[in-house]
Amino acid sequence: MPHKLRKIRKKRGSRTCGYGRVGQHRKSGSKSYRRAGRHKHLWTYVVKYEPEHFGKKGFTSPRSLRKTVKAINVGKLIENIEKFQPKEEEGKIFVDLEKFGITKLLGSGRVTKPLVVKVASCSRTAAEKIREAGGQVLTQSIEEGSGE
């Protein structure tokens, strides 16, 4: 059969040549998003219309750096001591702040009662104030302040 009488001559110029949008006679689907040449001859289109097509952007912060520090001042601790369910031991008040999710004890305020405080970390001024009042701090680290 001569070329000009074949059915495909009428189909030329149509995108799918009668095979439909999905199948296209060769099981490849409609080629729109992931097209060949995005990184070669179509790079100008990508630069103009899809600038985020290539590569990654930014970085993921490590989980170890995303710690939240929940702190309380010594003065607030004395004011709200009943919230922390204190126990009386040898004439001193024992408070476990770790049980309530507080990770740091800061030194603003006054200490009038002898306290025994269990906390993950503590500022130097808070530890001094508690010791001066006749108490003690049960902690893993006492952190230095910034020249107060």
Side-chain angles (χ1 to χ4, degrees), residues 113-138:
K113 303 170 186 174
L115 295 173
V116 177
V117 182
K118 184 179 177 190
V119 67
S121 66
C122 172
S123 72
R124 190 190 47 187
T125 53
E128 285 174 10
K129 286 182 181 182
I130 288 174
R131 282 193 208 109
E132 285 171 9
Q136 77 181 85
V137 180
L138 306 173

Side-chain angles (χ1 to χ4, degrees), residues 57-67:
K57 193 171 181 183
F59 72 101
T60 305
S61 181
R63 278 211 158 295
S64 61
L65 299 178
R66 286 191 244 167
K67 293 178 199 160

Side-chain angles (χ1 to χ4, degrees), residues 7 31 104 116:
K7 189 183 211 177
K31 297 181 181 180
K104 191 168 184 178
V116 177

Side-chain angles (χ1 to χ4, degrees), residues 27-128:
K27 296 186 181 177
S28 60
S30 117
K31 297 181 181 180
S32 61
Y33 179 64
R34 293 195 57 189
R35 285 173 67 184
R38 282 278 196 235
H39 60 297
K40 290 189 175 178
H41 55 277
L42 287 177
W43 71 270
T44 49
Y45 173 88
V46 174
V47 168
K48 187 172 180 182
Y49 297 112
E50 300 176 22
E52 284 89 36
H53 184 82
F54 296 115
K56 297 177 180 178
K57 193 171 181 183
F59 72 101
T60 305
S61 181
R63 278 211 158 295
S64 61
L65 299 178
R66 286 191 244 167
K67 293 178 199 160
T68 55
V69 176
K70 206 169 176 192
I72 189 170
N73 280 308
V74 174
K76 290 283 184 190
L77 177 64
I78 294 294
E79 288 174 21
N80 305 321
I81 194 119
E82 294 304 319
K83 286 184 182 177
F84 299 106
Q85 302 167 358
K87 297 173 191 160
E88 193 79 29
E89 291 181 4
E90 302 167 14
K92 295 180 181 178
I93 300 167
F94 178 76
V95 180
D96 187 2
L97 293 179
E98 289 178 346
K99 190 167 74 173
F100 294 96
I102 294 173
T103 55
K104 191 168 184 178
L105 185 64
L106 302 175
S108 179
R110 280 187 174 178
V111 182
T112 54
K113 303 170 186 174
L115 295 173
V116 177
V117 182
K118 184 179 177 190
V119 67
S121 66
C122 172
S123 72
R124 190 190 47 187
T125 53
E128 285 174 10

